[in-house]
Amino acid sequence: MATDRTPLPLLQIRDLHVAYDGVRAVRGIDLELGAGELVCLIGANGAGKTSTLHALAGIQPIAAGEIRYAGERIDALPAHERVRRGIALVPEGRGIFARLTVEENLRMGAYSRSDRAGVEADLERVHALLPRMRERLQQVAGTLSGGEQQMLAIGRALLCRPRLLLLDEPSMGLAPQLVEKVFTVIQDIAREGVALLLVEQNARLALELAARGYVMDTGRITLAGRGADLLADPRVRAAYLGEAP
Ligand code: ATP
């Protein structure tokens, strides 16, 4: 039977607040993301973007508000339970284990999984997505270049078979050609149906890539819309794309 109900978004954030010892970093934001959607969150340093991702991943408690994922409240769940449900964070600075090999790092991403065959299949999938990683499986991760470390961090997150990937500043510190490569991989992941919430300082690249975007300023969402519309918005151009108003 046909129904006119629109499907629930994969992620729904309502009136989210995050504070550090009373200092309010996120001040009541609303944000939605559909299954398989690529959405970016842009804004200046200190706007509260990382705090939002940490609240979603469960590594920073929320001060108020609601986070719903796949229709259920998750804001009180521990981080590992959110990983088990398919929420993976690729942190700013990558967080790879420098003394472990590439393969050991990748397998860490699957630590909570017991489906061995599924893990091996996902390793193959990551190798197909990131062919350079296969050549470097036994290399110590700390000796990889910055771009390769970023790829490794993304690969490790994919090993927990996410439905929602949270990416914090993947272009940080990378040369332009490497940024392009990382963004190509992000697009490939989105094509596979994984939803992505991308936090980026490089607003132009992020808005070109994302279907929709949110602009954050001092803890609040100040603008939201289609990536292409935000890219054309004079306020975004003046504040985040370095253009004179
Ligand atoms: P950046 O791009 O610089 O990481 P951001 O938009 O991700 O910026 P957040 O890192 O979320 O912003 O920071 C938001 C505010 O919260 C800032 O004022 C920051 O100083 C503060 N803050 C972030 N983490 C902590 C912390 N662990 N303890 C205290 N204050 C913090």
Side-chain angles (χ1 to χ4, degrees):
M1 196 175 73
T3 160
D4 59 1
R5 274 191 307 170
T6 47
L8 274 177
L10 180 65
L11 176 71
Q12 276 179 304
I13 300 177
R14 289 280 170 265
D15 196 26
L16 176 70
H17 293 251
V18 178
Y20 304 97
D21 289 329
V23 179
R24 295 188 303 150
V26 178
R27 304 168 179 223
I29 66 163
D30 293 343
L31 185 150
E32 284 189 359
L33 198 145
E37 200 181 16
L38 173 47
V39 169
C40 69
L41 182 58
I42 61 168
N45 276 341
K49 307 180 299 295
T50 296
S51 301
T52 301
L53 291 192
H54 286 183
L56 291 173
I59 55 179
Q60 175 62 40
I62 69 171
E66 277 187 20
I67 304 171
R68 285 181 187 275
Y69 169 77
E72 288 178 36
R73 282 284 291 270
I74 59 158
D75 40 79
L77 295 178
H80 64 84
E81 177 56 25
R82 300 190 207 190
V83 172
R84 205 187 62 75
R85 293 183 185 209
I87 301 177
L89 171 69
V90 181
E92 190 173 354
R94 294 138 202 167
I96 62 161
F97 300 99
R99 291 180 184 201
L100 300 185
T101 65
V102 167
E103 181 170 7
E104 286 163 343
N105 267 278
L106 287 173
R107 288 188 183 277
M108 291 290 258
Y111 77 94
S112 65
R113 294 174 59 180
S114 50
D115 59 322
R116 278 194 166 183
V119 170
E120 297 310 314
D122 284 347
L123 266 174
E124 279 307 311
R125 193 175 135 235
V126 167
H127 293 331
L129 197 66
L130 309 170
R132 295 288 297 274
M133 285 298 123
R134 192 202 292 273
E135 296 160 22
R136 290 163 190 267
L137 284 176
Q138 299 319 316
Q139 189 170 329
V140 173
T143 64
L144 295 175
S145 71
E148 287 164 346
Q149 289 189 10
Q150 185 61 61
M151 300 288 194
L152 176 57
I154 293 173
R156 184 183 57 188
L158 289 176
L159 256 298
C160 72
R161 200 176 269 188
R163 286 179 73 195
L164 172 60
L165 194 56
L166 309 169
L167 287 165
D168 199 355
E169 304 278 8
S171 78
M172 177 82 88
L174 300 185
Q177 319 90 283
L178 290 175
V179 171
E180 222 170 278
K181 280 193 185 155
V182 168
F183 273 60
T184 303
V185 167
I186 292 171
Q187 261 174 315
D188 291 342
I189 294 167
R191 275 195 212 102
E192 289 191 357
V194 177
L196 288 118
L197 182 57
L198 170 65
V199 160
E200 250 305 324
Q201 290 262 354
N202 190 329
R204 184 183 304 278
L205 261 182
L207 292 171
E208 281 172 0
L209 196 70
R212 289 190 304 113
Y214 292 85
V215 180
M216 203 166 177
D217 185 16
T218 52
R220 294 196 170 85
I221 301 287
T222 51
L223 284 168
R226 293 192 326 124
D229 293 341
L230 290 174
L231 210 46
D233 189 306
R235 290 164 294 182
V236 174
R237 298 187 83 88
Y240 304 106
L241 304 180
E243 293 183 11

